[in-house]
Amino acid sequence: ITRLLKVLRVVRVIRYSKNIQILIRVLKKEKSILLVVLYIALGYILITALIMFNIEDSSMFKNFFDAIYWATTTLTTVGYGDIYPLTNIGRVISMFSSLLGVAIIALPSGVITASYLEELRNSKK
C-alpha cells in the first residue's frame, strides 16, 4: 500500500509540472498529425512484411508474424538480427526499409519539437 501511495504522489507531481502540461497540450494539439504518422508507419510495416514474406524463402520467415516482426524492427532501426533476408532482392528491400524507417520515425519527433517550442513561446508571452 505504501508503494502504491508513492506512485500516486508521482502522478500528482506530474499534474503540477509545467513542462508535462505543455507536452500534454502539444500532444492534444498535434493528435491528428501524429495519428496520420502512426497509420503511415503501420501501413508501411504491413506492406513491407507482405512483400518480404512473399519474396523470401520460408527458411527465415516461417509465418507472417515473423515478417511483421522483421518489418517492425527494421522500421524502428532496432534490427536484432535474429530474422534477416537471405536473398539479394530481400536485402535491397531491407536497406530501403531501414532508410525509410528513419524518415518515418523522425516525422513525429519534428512535429512534437516544433509544436513544443511554439507552446513555450506562447507561455512566455
Side-chain angles (χ1 to χ4, degrees), residues 69-84 94 98:
Y69 169 76
W70 170 86
T72 304
T73 57
T74 304
L75 176 76
T76 58
T77 64
V78 173
Y80 293 116
D82 53 346
I83 298 176
Y84 51 89
S94 178
S98 294

Side-chain angles (χ1 to χ4, degrees), residues 9-78:
R9 277 191 228 156
V10 170
V11 171
R12 284 192 320 196
V13 169
I14 289 173
R15 183 174 41 166
Y16 296 117
S17 173
K18 179 184 172 187
N19 291 331
I20 302 248
Q21 292 296 323
I22 291 173
L23 184 60
I24 290 171
R25 282 197 309 263
V26 164
L27 292 176
K28 285 181 182 177
K29 180 179 163 187
E30 302 296 338
K31 180 174 72 172
S32 61
I33 295 172
L34 295 174
L35 283 174
V36 168
V37 172
L38 176 68
Y39 294 144
I40 289 171
L42 291 176
Y44 186 73
I45 286 171
L46 289 175
I47 289 170
T48 307
L50 185 63
I51 291 170
M52 289 300 283
F53 185 69
N54 288 319
I55 287 177
E56 284 294 317
D57 319 354
S58 62
S59 62
M60 192 55 70
F61 296 95
K62 293 177 180 63
N63 54 32
F64 189 64
F65 183 75
D66 285 345
I68 289 176
Y69 169 76
W70 170 86
T72 304
T73 57
T74 304
L75 176 76
T76 58
T77 64
V78 173

